[in-house]
Amino acid sequence: MTSPDFPDRRRLLQLAGASAMALWLPRSAWSQPRLTSNPFTLGVASGSPTHDSVVLWTRLHGPGLLGASLGREPITVQWQVAHDDKFARIVLSGQAIASPELAHSVHVEVAGLEPDRWYFYRFMVGDAVSPVGRTRTFPKADAAVARLRLGYASCQKWEDGYFTAWRHMREENLDAVMFLGDYIYEYTGRSSKVRIPSGGWVLSLDDYRQRYALYRGEADLQAMHATCPWLMTWDDHEVQNDYAGLQAGDSGMTDPSSPANFAARRAAAYQAYYEHMPIRASVLTKAVAGLASGAEMRIYSRLQYGRLASLYLLDARQYKDPQACTKGNGLGSSTVNPAQCPSWNDPKRSMLGLPQEQWLSNELAKTQSRDSGWNVVGQQTLLGQRDFKPGPGQTLWNDGWDGYSAARMRLTDSLRKHSVANPVLLGGDVHENWVGHIKADYADVNSVSVGVEFCGTSITSRSGGNAKTAERLAENPHFVFADAERKGYGVVEFTPKELTTTLRVVDDVTSRDTRIETLAQFSVQSGRPVIERS
């Protein structure tokens, strides 16, 4: 399960902190290997923007999944931030250390930037120069802002199709992308109709690194990462299908791992995630000391986009209680008749974990003292109740919010208690587009709406099709639209007066040249949680 590069917790924190620092070293201190190939084959990315800082990312890696050997010594990487893509007007520059123990990844936390401004950036090692990336800072918290264009996406299973949706997203003129989970898949890909990943099941740190290299090697994904900053959270496949907290997930798909070794596997997966994402070292240093495996990563956060929007990113996997009443007493998820599940409504069960619930409630309470405009919550899945059984009785899915109904009620109660302005939930996971109203109580058909939600389809991952979509919409009238067929992404444009959500879908994920079109468009007026079809 471990690899020679798998550091202990203390060493991991030291390495992450060193990588994040904007160093300036004398040339005599640079560690420069003899490069025989391009070390920037995985591209560049940026993320975690504030009004005056941003994280710049790259990972040194040669061609192929294993990459050319870079040795086992740290490598000094130069970086530059400029006002122009020719780097004639350089704003800041420095060096960072790419450590082999973190897969020669670099996370530079560049501070001292101007608010609400676009920048260009690049990395250099020896004579090698990375692709040029474009990023931006957010407006100051008290700034009046006219517009925010936010893309949201999830679930990009490599073997189910090509990443052409990212190519089309580059034309959307976005300020940021919110990625909502399942960046990689840990499967062997034997069910693929398009292509099969090498490497088999992803179990060890080296396995996860190779799988990320496979995905990061996709040109369309690389190009979208280089277009604007990304806001990142995860779901289950970054580790294992349907895992919950420190409990292993579904082992019924011939996953060869042992549930007894799951904590070590999760630790390896979390490290690989950090190595490949434009996220801050604070996701490690803010973790709660003494957690059972010592592998916690604190990825939930809030970012402010002027007075126009507060952006919350949640983590609905790491602290999640195990799913209730899975069929056959197995691990992972299944559909359940809640009337036959004694623990279904247990108020002690949580989707987010009680500390994260309290953090979110505290952050929402602050909206009463700030002009926050829209409150946009990015989380992994569908919030609204989705009953799969027509007529009397219910069949609900125990891995989503339906399986944690008491926790969902605490969330909606918090939105009401704190009089949160304009709540908007964005989700993924289900590989389908679902658009609906957030209800104070899903058990009451006359319950008031407290916000709106847009749960997005997948970039490529397959779904079951629309044969039962109309029937399910009729059974769950708080939803106003659903589509279980098309793949793509969503774009939400926020202004002080309204939001407009556009569902963008490709014709065929199995074609590299597939076209894009608008599936549907919706608007919501500020102060009025009612979805209207445009």
Side-chain angles (χ1 to χ4, degrees):
M1 181 63 65
T2 61
S3 87
D5 289 338
F6 195 27
D8 63 28
R9 177 73 176 180
R10 179 174 299 178
R11 179 63 174 157
L12 181 63
L13 296 175
Q14 293 172 342
L15 293 167
S19 174
M21 293 175 62
L23 301 175
W24 187 262
L25 302 173
R27 183 174 291 273
S28 60
W30 292 7
S31 175
Q32 299 283 281
R34 291 180 177 271
L35 298 176
T36 59
S37 61
N38 173 23
F40 296 110
T41 59
L42 303 186
V44 300
S46 69
S48 303
T50 70
H51 74 278
D52 65 353
S53 70
V54 70
V55 175
L56 306 181
W57 173 93
T58 193
R59 178 190 166 195
L60 306 183
H61 186 276
L65 291 184
L66 298 178
S69 175
L70 296 173
R72 299 193 56 78
E73 297 298 324
I75 297 173
T76 304
V77 180
Q78 295 176 270
W79 57 268
Q80 294 176 331
V81 176
H83 287 307
D84 64 303
D85 62 357
K86 303 300 182 184
F87 292 82
R89 295 183 296 147
I90 294 177
V91 178
L92 291 169
S93 62
Q95 291 90 37
I97 301 300
S99 166
E101 294 165 292
L102 289 175
H104 287 108
S105 63
V106 176
H107 301 71
V108 179
E109 298 183 15
V110 181
L113 300 173
E114 297 178 30
D116 199 11
R117 178 152 192 162
W118 287 95
Y119 291 95
F120 297 88
Y121 64 95
R122 66 183 179 185
F123 299 91
M124 292 164 285
V125 174
D127 295 330
V129 182
S130 75
V132 174
R134 181 173 177 258
T135 191
R136 66 160 302 160
T137 53
F138 280 3
K140 287 185 176 180
D142 60 353
V145 181
R147 189 185 76 161
L148 165 63
R149 282 182 61 80
L150 181 68
Y152 64 97
S154 62
C155 305
Q156 52 177 13
K157 194 175 181 184
W158 187 87
E159 53 266 39
D160 279 358
Y162 299 109
F163 290 177
T164 316
W166 295 121
R167 186 191 313 164
H168 293 294
M169 189 187 276
R170 292 183 66 200
E171 307 301 319
E172 300 285 358
N173 191 28
L174 300 177
D175 293 297
V177 171
M178 186 177 280
F179 193 83
L180 300 173
D182 293 343
Y183 192 97
I184 62 166
Y185 281 71
E186 82 286 16
Y187 297 158
T188 58
R190 289 181 297 179
S191 63
S192 171
K193 301 292 184 182
V194 181
R195 50 188 179 170
I196 299 176
S198 59
W201 283 95
V202 176
L203 303 173
S204 69
L205 177 57
D206 287 337
D207 294 339
Y208 283 105
R209 287 171 170 171
Q210 290 180 37
R211 189 57 53 90
Y212 277 108
L214 175 70
Y215 280 58
R216 281 286 196 172
E218 289 287 302
D220 290 329
L221 177 59
Q222 280 191 24
M224 190 60 226
H225 267 297
T227 299
C228 65
W230 284 39
L231 316 177
M232 305 299 304
T233 189
W234 55 30
D235 195 20
D236 54 341
H237 290 290
E238 287 89 350
V239 181
Q240 182 194 33
N241 182 51
D242 285 353
Y243 87 93
L246 281 167
Q247 177 173 286
D250 182 10
S251 58
M253 303 179 66
T254 69
D255 184 327
S257 66
S258 167
N261 295 330
F262 178 71
R265 180 182 182 182
R266 196 185 83 160
Y270 282 10
Q271 178 177 333
Y273 184 86
Y274 176 79
E275 292 171 350
H276 292 85
M277 296 299 146
I279 53 181
R280 296 180 182 270
S282 58
V283 302
L284 301 169
T285 59
K286 286 185 179 180
V288 178
L291 195 74
S293 71
E296 181 187 8
M297 278 178 51
R298 162 68 187 277
I299 65 170
Y300 58 87
S301 62
R302 182 184 67 81
L303 297 169
Q304 194 67 29
Y305 196 87
R307 295 204 303 266
L308 181 62
S310 294
L311 307 175
Y312 309 81
L313 287 168
L314 303 186
D315 177 355
R317 277 294 161 189
Q318 185 173 189
Y319 314 106
K320 184 177 190 172
D321 285 313
Q323 300 88 343
C325 302
T326 295
K327 293 176 181 176
N329 295 318
L331 300 176
S333 71
S334 69
T335 54
V336 174
N337 177 355
Q340 298 176 356
C341 180
S343 61
W344 190 262
N345 295 315
D346 183 350
K348 296 179 182 178
R349 300 182 65 252
S350 178
M351 185 86 154
L352 305 177
L354 295 182
Q356 185 179 185
E357 284 190 23
Q358 188 60 57
W359 168 85
L360 180 59
S361 181
N362 291 342
E363 291 296 324
L364 294 174
K366 297 175 185 177
T367 66
Q368 296 174 328
S369 61
R370 65 175 179 250
D371 182 5
S372 57
W374 302 90
N375 283 277
V376 186
V377 181
Q379 47 82 56
Q380 284 70 20
T381 190
L382 193 67
L383 181 78
Q385 180 173 287
R386 187 170 55 157
D387 182 6
F388 294 99
K389 186 178 186 300
Q394 289 181 318
T395 298
L396 303 175
W397 184 44
N398 69 352
D399 191 52
W401 282 99
D402 280 345
Y404 301 80
S405 57
R408 178 172 58 195
M409 182 70 78
R410 289 194 292 273
L411 173 56
T412 55
D413 284 349
S414 184
L415 293 173
R416 300 180 71 192
K417 173 184 176 182
H418 301 308
S419 301
V420 176
N422 302 314
V424 180
L425 263 73
L426 302 178
D429 184 36
V430 299
H431 308 171
E432 303 172 1
N433 273 304
W434 285 81
V435 178
H437 297 100
I438 300 171
K439 309 299 285 185
D441 182 359
Y442 287 95
D444 179 2
V445 295
N446 297 314
S447 177
V448 298
S449 296
V450 299
V452 297
E453 75 166 312
F454 300 92
C455 187
T457 185
S458 58
I459 291 291
T460 59
S461 304
R462 287 185 291 177
S463 55
N466 278 325
K468 295 185 177 181
T469 299
E471 175 184 277
R472 289 172 181 169
L473 277 169
E475 188 65 26
N476 302 279
H478 43 275
F479 290 110
V480 301
F481 178 86
D483 178 84
E485 186 68 37
R486 305 292 293 275
K487 306 301 165 194
Y489 55 86
V491 175
V492 192
E493 179 168 309
F494 299 92
T495 70
K497 292 184 177 180
E498 69 175 358
L499 71 77
T500 302
T501 299
T502 305
L503 308 182
R504 300 282 278 163
V505 293
V506 297
D507 288 343
D508 181 7
V509 295
T510 67
S511 170
R512 288 191 183 273
D513 299 320
T514 187
R515 299 176 301 173
I516 193 84
E517 67 179 1
T518 294
L519 176 66
Q521 190 174 72
F522 306 90
S523 63
V524 179
Q525 302 301 309
S526 178
R528 185 171 178 263
V530 177
I531 299 170
E532 298 176 338
R533 184 79 177 259
S534 301

